Amino acid sequence: MVSKSLLTRQKGQMMGALGLFLVEVVAIIAISSLKYGLHLEWTISRYVGLETWSALLFALGNLGVAFLMLRYLYGIGERFEMGRGFYILVVVVVIALVGLSVCPLGYFDITRPIALSNAVSRIHEICSRTMFAVMVFLAVMMVFCRCATERTKIMAGVFIVYGVVCAFGFFVQADWFIQAGLVFETLYILGFMGLCLGCREQDKDIIIERRK
């Protein structure tokens, strides 16, 4: 088992990422709503792309979030004895987060040119969907990880089910999903961070015994 001090330090990294993300998102939505109104059918990205200050805040804030998540997830990989695929997915999800953060959706729709607007928005969409999918894959890997506790596997399973529900709602453009897109999206991201925080590995003696 890793030391308690190391676990505390790693947990602090993820708590920092979660806190930073919450602060920036709440600030952007709250302040922007004063001017544009609160729209649950909008995504976080749509709020971000409304103003220059919000686009900059989201980009800079998420650079910090990405760095903290990268360190924490690498720590999880070491503790849970994950294979190379896990680390590759971690890098991909972090790159996707940075990519969607520096390419604000809709920001250039007003300032033009159209070619630039389309390119930035397209990059944002690719990164957003990639991050969504990879988060589910990471949860699947946690479900099948021999080092993870049963509670951790159950949490990962619940997250996977929620991800499937969100994907279904998005692809069929269901009213219940579209009209509350902001809520579903926010809960998905927070759910992944919560899953990461709740990940616990089994006692090494138990793992060794199961491998015999």
Side-chain angles (χ1 to χ4, degrees), residues 16-155:
L18 177 59
L20 183 55
F21 178 79
L22 274 176
V23 168
E24 66 187 35
V25 168
V26 170
I28 290 172
I29 293 176
I31 297 174
S32 297
S33 293
L34 297 176
K35 181 176 181 180
Y36 299 96
L38 178 62
H39 300 274
L40 295 181
E41 71 276 13
W42 288 10
T43 61
I44 296 173
S45 300
R46 183 169 181 180
Y47 273 106
V48 169
L50 291 174
E51 304 278 354
T52 300
W53 70 266
S54 56
L56 288 175
L57 174 61
F58 194 69
L60 294 175
N62 276 355
L63 288 177
V65 172
F67 174 73
L68 292 171
M69 283 185 63
L70 179 64
R71 293 191 61 184
Y72 182 79
L73 290 173
Y74 256 70
I76 285 183
E78 293 175 350
R79 284 163 46 200
F80 286 75
E81 302 177 5
M82 291 295 195
R84 181 179 299 178
F86 178 84
Y87 296 99
I88 292 175
L89 290 179
V90 167
V91 172
V92 171
V93 79
V94 170
I95 291 176
L97 175 59
V98 173
L100 68 87
S101 300
V102 299
C103 295
L105 182 67
Y107 178 73
F108 294 99
D109 290 351
I110 298 176
T111 57
R112 304 287 177 176
I114 295 178
L116 177 60
S117 172
N118 290 339
V120 171
S121 295
R122 184 58 179 165
I123 292 173
H124 178 95
E125 291 176 355
I126 292 173
C127 290
S128 178
R129 294 172 186 179
T130 298
M131 187 178 77
F132 177 94
V134 174
M135 284 179 172
V136 172
F137 289 142
L138 287 172
V140 170
M141 294 186 72
M142 191 59 64
V143 169
F144 292 99
C145 177
R146 290 183 296 182
C147 296
T149 62
E150 291 303 314
R151 179 175 177 272
T152 298
K153 293 181 179 182
I154 291 173
M155 290 173 57

Side-chain angles (χ1 to χ4, degrees), residues 12 51 61 64 70 113 125 171 193 200 209:
E51 304 278 354
L70 179 64
E125 291 176 355
F171 283 118
M193 291 183 170
R200 296 292 183 272
E209 184 64 28

